[in-house]
Amino acid sequence: MLIVLQLYFSFHSNDRQTEEAPVLSDMAEVEDTLKRIQGINGVIGTIVVNAEGIPIKTTLDNSTTVQYAGLLHQLTMKARSTVRDIDPQNDLTFLRIRSKKHEIMVSTDKEYLLIVIQNPAE
Amino acid sequence: MSSKRPKSKEARKSKGKDKSNETNPTPDGGALESGHPDYIFPLVLTSATQELFGCRADEDVTGENPYKLLKKEDIIKDMKTRASVSDFSPVKQLVLDYPEDELLLVFDRDFTYGQSFYLVLTVEAKENILKPSVEGDEEQMKEEEVEEEEMIIPKTPVSHPWISLGSEQEIEEESVTESRPRLRYKISPLLRHCGAPVCFSDRSALDEKEGFVECPSYQDKSFSIREMEKHTAIQASCDTKHSSTQTLWKYPKNMWTQYEPREFSPEEKEHHLRSEHLKNFITSVLIRFEISLQQNYITDVFCDDWTALCEDDGMLAGKTETQLKEYQTFMDLHFSKEKTISHVHWHPTISGVIAVAMTERLSLEERIDNSTKLLLNPSYILFWNFTDPINPQLQLECPDDVLCFQFCPSDPNIIAGGCMNGQVVLWDISAHVERLQDTRSSSKNISNKLDKNNVTPVVRYCAVSGIENGHKAPITDIQWLPETFELSKLGIPVENPSRISVQLVTCAPDCSVLFWDLRPPRVVSHSLTDVKQKSEEKPLENPHGVPNTFKHLNLTWKPFIRVSLPKIGSSGEYSPLKFSLRDNTVDSPTGDKPPQNTDREEGCGFAQLRVPSAKQQKPLENISTKLYVGTEEGELVYTDWKMEKDNDSGRLLSTKPIHRFPLHDTLVNTVSRSPFFKDIILTVGSSSFAIWKEGVTNGPILMSAFSKKMLTVGHWSLSRPAVFFIGKEDGSIEVWDLLQNTHEPSQSQNISSAGITCIRTSSISSKQHLLAVSDCLGTLHILQIPWTLRRSSNSEKQIVRKYLEKEEERLEYFEKRQIKHEKEKKEMEAEQQRKKTEPVLPLKQEEELEAEALKKYEQFLALEKDILKNMGLLNGMEDSSDM
């Protein structure tokens, strides 16, 4: 298995959005965004994981989700500690793992992890 | 007091750089307390005098700057002017006596001498006061500097006089001094003896008793000197200590843990999903993902176009050599005369060794005529090695002509062959394996070879099957069952625990397919018979040096399953010539294979293996029990080998074949599965060949055109999924490449003058693939497969698969069309029938049609009128309609 880690060091600006009162719209927005990602060509599944590696939302079946969440959480922690060891001011933002069959993308945050698995169309 | 003075001065002078503040810059520091020295004269100066002389207290002169130099002349003038009123009057005389011009007036702030001012009367004192103050200032400054810098200035050692502390007494005691003057003695002989002649002689010390005086050492019992000092050496070393611990393990205990992943409850998930933080995170991260996902969609960054390009190109116009090159030819002078090769097989493990079965080149009638001669000339299977093209390495003796043979997949030293007389023969060449391997390595030593290998060793067969129980026709095909499963009595595949191939399948034109087991059959009655057998076996010798591997089978061997092939739809049976089993792989549940010891004596192995009882065996489910059989009549039969129990008679019967495909007009000489696709089969008849897919029952996926020359044998290429070789009767080989042409071979090459009997491929290394071709005349040709034919591109398998699928679809479509055609045909016939029975109807219909048409026309006219009326054009129309 061919794995290539591409670490992106970049700053991202938070979208400033006006807070609308009901909480439901937040949830709907989250759902919308996830649907949008899922709808992109080639995407096999998306998983939202919390800081401890417990999946919150997923489009795959339970066992696969749990496996992905656990493994990628550990890998992300390791990658993040690597980045920070090299430069304590830096932090990991995006992790891409390319294998023979799929590409796994992980985006990290203080509290959450978003995992997307894509089948790059050949 | 006077003594103190110089001391203080000296002290001051001697202490060069003294940090201590003892040397007070104030003149006469703390040394003097009472009285005043002679050169100091305390004065009281009135304010007028102070103004006059410019030494006002606390103004001109201060505590820090108490010195004021006054001119002598001024003082004298003042004294003159103010006579007795002048403050200086008490010192009048002193001032006059003062040698210098200037006198020092010091403001005594602290009233050290009783008054507020004092006059210094001597020049020396003045100098001293001024200088030490300057010095004191300097010292002060230095001290301040030093204090500021915080540096420790080392004290230069000052020599002190030695103070006796009592140590000199010890030294005096130790030292040796003369207590009295030395005594001097002078001894001289009497004068008269001087100068007299003297005679010297030798005398040994041992001669007389008194020759010498001895002072031996003796043990003095009263010795009482106490040793006061003793030289000892001491070395510090640590204590070493051995200790050990042992954990107590009272009893073994099985422990296990089971875990499951943590998950959120739905409420928690909801809670998280609603959080602001998550929303922000996802929306901020979305862009990144989109970019990356699209990147992947647009192009594959990791695809190496260069290498992919060169692969495709290589297939078309790469290397120019496309012909099969002759590598080596084997022909044995002794044994190949008038013989033909019936079967060829590469040794599975030893590269460069190939086994060839030689049979007589005679037809049936000739055989019968010459039967006696044939009995005297036994036939052989020869082993050839590339290193020695003249002499075969090994000869296996056969009871009769062997038409086919196979190496055992789990042990390449066991060879099973099927003979002309219907017997199955087994050889064990484990004793000669080193020979086959050795000669390969020592090819350079020709002299060695000449010594050793003049005689090719002949190996006699280990076991033959019983003639009554075996086939009644020459065995045309034999195959081993793989080591992963074995068959029970009913033909149900069960798990094979020993992981060695123990079962064979043979077929012959006597309409049966037989299954044989290498292990000794189950003995129901124990003890007596067993003991007898054992005792009988021991004295049996090996007359021909045959290993005891299959002693238990010899001459008593019989098959345990007999599959007959009843014809579908008619009575009689198919007579199989070749068959092909599906290559079934089984995942071993335990996941470990028992170690395959090559040193292990196979004899014990097979003899000790017992057919397990039916209860112990665990049936395997994934094994396909179906096989394809090519028959004498040119049909391909697809049947199942499982036996069924016939309810009426209780016997085991084989099931009827599932399919049969009559395709070839004469006998089928090859049924072979593709090594790449498990369900693709190549069958070769005399005039054509066909490719079949298992499961497709309509017909062959591909059928070749009829060829002018007879096709004798076919074989798939081992490295390229789309290539197979067809051997012909005129000694040429056709290379068919499905990707290039399906109507004609891509290449045809003539190898020999006689017909090809067998083709086999082997890959010695990745660079060298060899094709073994045997012909009717008994020659074995080894050809090298060129690069184009052995190198497959990455996608070749996929392309071939797609092609085959397309062909399959074509067949299905064909079928459907056929059905559709028939349907249409039927319908047409039905319609014709109907037309015939009802001829009146058409006329009636015409009349009705005319009436309807008229009605419609009138309706149309009315409509036209309405429209024109609405549009206002009716007037014109009325006029025209009138006309």
Side-chain angles (χ1 to χ4, degrees), chain B residues 515-542:
Chain B
F515 287 75
W516 307 76
D517 196 316
L518 290 179
R519 299 168 293 194
R522 273 172 66 76
V523 181
V524 180
S525 61
H526 299 284
S527 61
L528 282 173
T529 44
D530 267 353
V531 168
K532 263 194 190 170
Q533 276 180 3
K534 278 180 190 169
S535 59
E536 278 175 18
E537 279 172 19
K538 274 179 197 170
L540 275 176
E541 290 170 0
N542 296 338

Side-chain angles (χ1 to χ4, degrees), chain B residues 342-343 476-477 479 507 576-581 628-632 634-637 663-664 666-674 680-692 710-717 724-728 756-760:
Chain B
S342 58
H343 201 84
T476 47
D477 204 359
Q479 277 189 25
C507 83
L577 285 184
K578 297 276 179 190
F579 65 93
S580 160
L581 303 169
Y628 274 97
V629 179
T631 65
E632 244 179 338
E635 293 165 330
L636 185 66
V637 179
L663 187 67
H664 305 287
T666 52
L667 49 85
V668 174
N669 53 43
T670 310
V671 177
S672 139
R673 280 195 195 243
S674 165
I680 301 291
I681 296 150
L682 168 73
T683 56
V684 179
S686 302
S687 44
S688 65
F689 66 85
I691 296 180
W692 308 78
M710 254 179 62
L711 309 176
T712 49
V713 73
H715 187 73
W716 289 95
S717 156
F724 53 92
F725 303 96
I726 302 283
K728 283 180 147 174
I756 310 281
T757 51
C758 195
I759 301 178
R760 285 278 181 267

Side-chain angles (χ1 to χ4, degrees), chain B residues 468-479:
Chain B
E468 323 79 51
N469 300 321
H471 283 284
K472 307 225 171 8
I475 298 181
T476 47
D477 204 359
I478 183 168
Q479 277 189 25

